[in-house]
């Protein structure tokens, strides 16, 4: 059934619904009410208090539009016990034509108090003299501004759903099969949606919502449980060479922390097992995950197998290759670097050695999962900064071996609720300590009015040899970015701003006059960007203005200062990743957050203050989940795998373990379903759409 077949929906309204993301009957059905008005009992105005949710019936005694800076419609309603003001700031002319003195109304909303009790934008229904009160529960829908423009308000949607549910043979595409809802003792999906749109009581509303949330989470849990079961029948036994690992540990110029040692032991145990080992190694920026990964590689190579370490950027691949190669060389392990820029002749040699088993370890980028890359015996795949890779890319690399083991690494700790579901088939290993000698990074919020003082401080520090990052949220100054970002300073803006400042104040200090400022961002040529970062690391550039392109894989121990412009534009986890670029040596490091102005300041100050108060990445991940939602954990807006229509990662956490348990029962209880039902259920949970499928892989 098409939307255009519904009465009351002409071309203009259909266009507005489309703009609001409501283009099909299914979209409308899934657009469940955001809350409900309880009109089952009437209150007396004299008994109301500020904050009460109330339903009152009374007569309008005064009404009219009040002119001023913000025109508003105001009416006074009395029920014989007291009076209450009704206020409307939108649609004032429409309201004024309906709400006249002497008319009787049923009014509901939340009571406020300003020079007496008032209801702002209450729900109003005409109530004739002598009409019996028929209490009901009214759904309240989320309504976009474009829908309001076409006069599609609450009453319109309530009537629309009554029409939809009267259509015979109403069905939903991709709904949970009836055989599965019956097995779970749930109502069919359509029945639950009918309950939410046409409610009879609050108990049934609660039950319907709960069942829909579980059914939304269930496909992810079913896929995760199935992957976990598959790992038990895959993989192979190997003889780990612990001598290789112990010798490499002895060559390290430092001792592993207790957290690194515990993580390494867990990984070695997993690699020694008979079943396929998939693990997530998570830990704060700078906790030493890379050295643990290197020692795991030593163990697998000692057993005669090959390893691949995949990273998201060329600069990070080169950095890992440079720092790890001496240890591999000392152990007699042959290692190569394979990136997009690898010359053709050199690449041909590397590919040949990998295929013949002459190369033990390859470190690279997306080039590793190219079709022309073959391994003689790939035993372990390690993926650094795992969220930067798509599921197909990870699968392409894993497919190059006979069910190799996999270790994915993340400097953005995963909140427990996500770890149980989307990452539930991975052994979660955490490192919570930082290497000895690392000092805490001090984070301070700086008022926008002190920008000039901030620039002066940064220049003085840079002139003394303390390198600085200045982070921007936009790339260009030419207005080519989104219009809503036009107020944000770009990389170009800040580079020019700092150069002008240095030119103006350089005559008072010769060292400041010598300062060099450069900018980098993701739209630059890789070679040009890498060259600027190399010059910054060498101290030839003292102030590096950058976007989040430096969030991963830039290691400059001499950089101990960071300024972040418009920090409200970033997720807390992403701010934490950025902050982790400083304090990588043994010097004290500082991170300054230039606080936003106006409305942005009001909405983000609490969040930024919480961030400034802690360096604990695990705490920050939970805060980010609470304040921005699961789709923003990596700092970028995402949809699909982590973002649900009804299930909420914070408020519905108690449903996770219950849904996991249900998923295990469904997959084990094969006798409960015939072959046709099994096929329908498997198709449903395998085809459930999501942005990055089922999380990690």
């Amino acid at each position: 059934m098409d939307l255009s077949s519904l009465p009351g929906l002409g071309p203009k309204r259909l266009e507005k619904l489309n703009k609001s993301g409501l283009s099909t009957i299914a979209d409308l059905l899934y657009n469940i009410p955001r809350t409900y008005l309880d009109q089952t009992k009437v209150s007396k105005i004299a008994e109301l208090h500020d904050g009460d949710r109330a339903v009152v019936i009374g007569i309008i005694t005064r009404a009219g539009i009040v002119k001023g800076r913000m025109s508003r419609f105001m009416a006074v309603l009395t029920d014989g016990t007291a009076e209450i003001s009704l206020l409307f700031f939108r649609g004032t002319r429409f309201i004024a034509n309906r709400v006249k003195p002497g008319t009787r109304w049923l009014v509901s909303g939340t009571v406020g108090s300003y020079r007496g009790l008032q209801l702002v934008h209450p729900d109003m229904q005409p109530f004739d003299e002598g009409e019996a009160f028929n209490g009901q529960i009214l759904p309240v829908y989320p309504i976009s501004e474009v829908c309001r423009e076409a006069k599609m308000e609450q009453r319109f949607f309530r009537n629309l759903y009554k029409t939809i549910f009267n259509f015979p043979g109403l069905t939903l595409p991709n709904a949970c099969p009836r055989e599965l809802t019956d097995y779970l003792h749930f109502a069919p999906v359509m029945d639950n949606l009918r309950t939410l749109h046409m409610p009879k009581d609050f108990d049934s509303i609660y039950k319907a919502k709960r069942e829909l949330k579980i059914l939304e989470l269930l496909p992810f849990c079913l896929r995760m449980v199935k992957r976990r079961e598959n790992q038990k029948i895959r993989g192979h036994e190997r003889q780990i060479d612990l001598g290789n690992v112990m010798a490499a540990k002895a060559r390290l110029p430092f001792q592993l922390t207790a957290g690194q040692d515990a993580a390494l032991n867990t990984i070695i145990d997993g690699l020694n097992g008979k079943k396929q080992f998939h693990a997530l190694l998570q830990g704060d920026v700078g906790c030493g995950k890379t050295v643990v990964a290197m020692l795991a590689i030593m163990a697998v190579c000692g057993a005669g197998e090959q390893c691949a370490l995949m990273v998201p950027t060329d600069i990070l691949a080169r950095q890992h290759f440079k720092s790890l190669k001496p240890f591999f060389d000392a152990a007699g392990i042959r290692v190569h670097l394979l990136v997009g820029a690898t010359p053709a002749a050199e690449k041909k040699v590397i590919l040949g050695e990998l295929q013949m088993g002459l190369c033990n370890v390859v470190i690279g980028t997306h080039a590793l999962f190219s079709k022309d890359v073959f391994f003689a015996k790939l035993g372990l795949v390690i993926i650094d900064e795992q969220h930067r890779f798509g599921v197909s890319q990870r699968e392409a690399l894993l497919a190059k071996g006979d069910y190799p083991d996999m270790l994915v690494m993340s400097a953005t700790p995963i909140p427990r609720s996500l770890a149980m579901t989307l990452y539930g088939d991975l052994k979660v290993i955490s490192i919570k300590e930082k290497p000895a000698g690392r000092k805490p990074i001090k984070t301070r919020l700086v008022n926008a009015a002190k920008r000039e003082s901030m620039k002066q401080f940064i220049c003085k520090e840079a002139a003394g040899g303390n390198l600085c990052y200045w982070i921007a949220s936009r790339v260009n100054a030419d207005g080519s970015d989104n219009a809503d970002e036009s107020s944000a300073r770009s990389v170009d803006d800040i580079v020019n701003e700092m150069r002008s400042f240095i030119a103006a104040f350089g005559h008072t200090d010769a060292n400041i006059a010598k300062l060099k400022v450069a900018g980098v961002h993701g739209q630059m040529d890789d070679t040009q960007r890498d060259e600027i970062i190399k010059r910054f690391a060498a101290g030839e550039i003292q102030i590096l203005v950058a976007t989040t392109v430096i969030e991963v894989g830039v290691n400059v121990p001499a950089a101990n200062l960071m300024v972040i412009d418009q920090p409200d534009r970033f997720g807390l986890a992403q701010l934490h990743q950025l902050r982790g670029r400083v304090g990588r040596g043994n010097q004290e490091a500082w991170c300054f957050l230039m606080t936003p102005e106006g409305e942005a300041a009001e909405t983000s100050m609490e969040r930024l203050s919480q961030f400034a108060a802690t360096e604990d990445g695990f705490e920050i991940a939970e805060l980010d989940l609470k304040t921005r939602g699961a789709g923003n954990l990596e700092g970028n807006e995402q949809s699909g795998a982590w973002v649900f229509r009804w299930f909420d990662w914070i408020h519905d956490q108690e449903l996770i373990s219950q849904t996991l348990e249900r998923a295990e029962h469904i997959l084990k209880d094969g006798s409960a379903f015939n072959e046709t039902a099994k096929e329908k259920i498997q198709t449903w949970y395998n085809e459930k759409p999501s942005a990055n499928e089922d999380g990690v892989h």
Side-chain angles (χ1 to χ4, degrees):
M1 185 175 67
D2 191 72
L3 281 186
S4 58
S5 63
L6 293 174
L9 288 181
K12 183 180 177 182
R13 280 182 164 173
L14 284 172
E15 181 190 350
K16 301 294 186 185
L17 286 172
N18 270 310
K19 284 184 178 178
S20 302
L22 303 172
S23 53
T24 66
I25 295 291
D27 292 335
L28 279 171
L29 290 173
Y30 287 140
N31 183 47
I32 66 173
R34 61 180 174 82
T35 188
Y36 294 87
L37 291 176
D38 184 359
Q39 295 190 347
T40 56
K41 49 182 183 283
V42 176
S43 302
K44 293 179 180 178
I45 296 175
E47 296 173 356
L48 296 180
H49 300 91
D50 187 12
D52 286 350
R53 300 274 304 178
V55 177
V56 294
I57 297 174
I59 295 172
I60 301 294
T61 57
R62 300 189 300 279
I65 293 177
V66 180
K67 300 287 187 182
R69 188 169 57 87
M70 182 182 286
S71 293
R72 61 196 183 278
F73 175 82
M74 184 174 177
V76 176
L77 181 115
T78 181
D79 66 352
T81 68
E83 293 182 340
I84 190 167
S85 300
L86 311 178
L87 279 162
F88 293 86
F89 296 95
R90 297 189 306 269
T92 52
R93 290 188 182 279
F94 173 73
I95 297 292
N97 287 332
R98 296 178 67 221
V99 181
K100 305 280 189 183
T103 56
R104 197 162 182 255
W105 295 85
L106 183 149
V107 182
S108 58
T110 302
V111 178
S113 179
Y114 179 73
R115 296 178 181 174
L117 295 181
Q118 61 180 17
L119 290 166
V120 179
H121 283 279
D123 184 83
M124 298 186 66
Q125 298 175 55
F127 204 75
D128 296 334
E129 188 68 38
E131 181 181 348
F133 173 67
N134 181 21
Q136 59 183 320
I137 298 170
L138 287 180
V140 178
Y141 293 95
I143 298 177
S144 67
E145 284 303 315
V146 290
C147 283
R148 292 188 190 282
E149 290 170 9
K151 294 185 169 54
M152 291 187 285
E153 298 280 355
Q154 296 296 339
R155 187 185 296 273
F156 168 84
F157 280 101
R158 288 167 192 153
N159 290 331
L160 183 65
Y161 284 108
K162 288 175 185 173
T163 303
I164 291 173
F165 282 109
N166 278 330
F167 271 94
L170 188 62
T171 59
L172 275 169
N174 305 318
C176 179
R178 179 67 180 264
E179 293 89 343
L180 185 51
T181 54
D182 286 350
Y183 174 82
L184 295 169
H185 303 293
F186 285 3
V189 173
M190 187 65 77
D191 289 1
N192 275 332
L193 290 172
R194 186 191 304 271
T195 295
L196 295 177
H197 289 294
M198 303 172 69
K200 297 289 189 294
D201 58 78
F202 282 100
D203 285 344
S204 60
I205 290 171
Y206 172 80
K207 182 175 179 291
K209 271 189 178 180
R210 186 175 181 278
E211 290 181 3
L212 287 177
K213 287 175 180 181
I214 290 172
L215 290 179
E216 189 172 34
L217 185 61
L218 186 58
F220 295 85
C221 293
L222 284 166
R223 289 202 295 263
M224 187 277 294
V225 171
K226 195 163 187 179
R227 288 196 309 268
R228 195 162 60 192
E229 292 301 311
N230 285 340
Q231 287 173 22
K232 293 178 182 177
I233 58 174
R234 294 173 177 170
H236 59 276
E237 196 170 3
R238 64 166 66 89
Q239 293 299 315
I240 291 294
D241 188 342
L242 289 177
N244 243 6
V245 178
M246 299 306 293
K249 280 176 73 173
R251 292 187 198 102
L252 294 173
F254 52 83
Q255 269 197 324
L256 295 185
T257 64
Q260 286 174 309
D261 251 330
L264 178 62
N265 290 337
T266 303
I267 293 168
I268 296 293
D269 287 345
L271 295 172
N272 245 334
K274 293 181 180 179
K275 67 178 185 180
Q276 195 177 23
F277 178 66
H278 282 191
L280 165 67
L281 177 60
Q282 62 175 358
D284 251 334
V285 178
C287 72
K289 294 182 295 295
T290 305
V291 70
V292 172
M294 179 194 76
L295 293 170
I297 290 172
M298 295 278 190
V300 173
C301 288
E305 299 177 38
Q306 295 169 299
C307 299
L309 171 57
M310 184 165 72
V311 300
T313 64
D314 276 31
I315 193 166
L316 183 54
R318 294 179 192 281
Q319 186 176 296
H320 280 339
F321 182 73
K322 182 180 178 182
S323 63
L324 300 181
K325 189 175 187 299
F327 295 98
F328 289 131
D329 287 347
I333 292 173
R334 190 162 175 76
V335 59
H336 279 307
L337 174 71
L338 184 60
V339 295
T342 301
E346 186 182 340
K347 181 179 179 180
K348 187 176 180 181
V349 172
I350 295 170
L351 295 181
E353 289 193 12
L354 282 173
Q355 191 167 4
M356 291 185 288
L358 300 176
C359 171
N360 310 106
V361 182
V362 61
I363 298 171
T365 56
H366 302 72
L368 290 182
F369 53 77
S370 300
K371 290 180 180 178
D372 55 354
V373 177
F374 298 95
F375 292 84
K377 193 176 183 182
L378 180 62
L380 175 64
V381 169
I382 298 179
I383 299 171
D384 198 6
E385 299 301 335
Q386 57 83 17
H387 61 275
R388 296 298 187 98
F389 294 97
V391 62
S392 58
Q393 296 168 330
R394 290 186 285 265
E395 292 294 344
L397 185 52
L398 285 169
K400 294 182 182 294
D402 184 18
Y403 298 118
D405 291 331
M406 180 180 72
L407 179 68
V408 296
M409 301 197 294
S410 176
T412 305
I414 309 301
R416 182 175 174 273
S417 54
L418 296 182
M420 288 173 66
T421 48
L422 304 183
Y423 297 83
D425 59 322
L426 300 179
K427 174 76 175 176
V428 179
I429 305 165
S430 302
I431 302 176
K432 296 196 174 183
E433 301 162 84
K434 286 192 177 180
R438 290 277 176 95
K439 294 184 178 179
I441 302 167
K442 295 185 177 179
T443 305
R444 297 290 184 269
L445 274 62
V446 180
N447 191 289
K450 295 186 177 180
R451 191 175 184 86
E452 290 300 306
S453 300
M454 186 80 261
K455 289 188 285 190
Q456 190 172 359
F457 173 77
I458 291 300
C459 286
K460 282 185 178 178
E461 287 291 318
N466 212 350
L467 305 183
C468 174
Y469 297 101
W470 196 304
I471 306 300
S473 60
R474 289 177 63 218
V475 172
N476 301 313
D478 58 8
S480 61
D481 292 272
N482 294 334
D484 64 345
E485 294 188 350
S486 58
S487 62
R489 289 180 174 87
S490 67
V491 170
D492 294 346
D493 291 332
I494 297 170
V495 167
N496 293 331
E497 179 185 5
M498 292 306 295
R499 285 175 179 169
S500 298
F501 185 88
I502 289 165
F505 286 85
H507 65 275
T508 62
D509 189 323
N511 289 325
I512 287 181
K514 294 175 185 175
L515 292 178
K516 296 288 188 291
V517 182
V520 292
H521 52 75
Q523 294 177 17
M524 295 174 73
D525 175 73
D526 288 354
T527 307
Q528 182 189 5
R529 184 174 67 239
D530 290 354
E531 180 59 31
I532 291 173
I533 292 173
K534 281 179 187 173
R535 289 180 60 208
F536 176 65
E540 296 169 19
I541 293 168
Q542 293 78 34
I543 301 172
L544 182 67
V545 183
T547 58
T548 55
V549 72
I550 60 101
E551 176 189 352
V552 172
V554 177
N555 184 24
V556 183
N560 291 303
L561 293 172
M562 175 173 283
V563 180
I564 302 179
D565 242 69
Q566 257 123 1
D568 55 303
R569 292 174 176 266
F570 303 101
L572 297 186
Q574 192 170 33
L575 286 174
H576 187 57
Q577 282 271 34
L578 288 166
R579 179 171 61 181
R581 295 308 103 202
V582 296
R584 302 179 79 83
N586 53 11
Q587 301 297 312
E588 189 167 69
W590 291 81
C591 176
F592 299 99
L593 307 177
M594 300 301 296
T595 57
E597 299 176 274
E599 187 180 336
E602 293 176 22
T603 57
S604 62
M605 282 303 288
E606 182 182 357
R607 193 171 66 90
L608 295 176
S609 297
Q610 289 174 329
F611 170 76
T614 181
E615 267 197 278
D616 186 336
F618 293 87
E619 185 181 340
I620 287 167
E622 295 289 349
L623 280 172
D624 216 18
L625 182 61
K626 287 177 184 175
T627 56
R628 302 237 306 172
N632 299 281
L633 284 173
E634 306 298 352
N636 300 310
E637 199 73 31
Q638 295 189 20
S639 61
W642 287 2
V643 181
F644 289 106
R645 183 183 276 115
W646 303 308
F647 176 80
D648 185 282
W649 288 106
I650 298 300
H651 300 109
D652 300 320
Q653 287 196 30
E654 82 282 355
L655 294 180
I656 295 173
S657 57
Q658 298 172 28
T659 309
L660 282 168
E661 194 174 321
R662 283 188 170 95
E664 289 173 356
H665 286 311
I666 291 165
L667 292 176
K668 287 176 183 174
D669 198 0
S671 61
F673 308 100
N674 61 35
E675 290 305 314
T676 304
K678 285 180 185 176
E679 190 175 330
K680 285 165 69 175
I681 293 167
Q682 191 166 343
T683 300
W684 172 71
Y685 76 75
N686 279 332
E687 291 184 354
K688 200 71 174 172
S690 59
N692 61 342
E693 292 190 21
D694 34 23
V696 178
H697 54 284

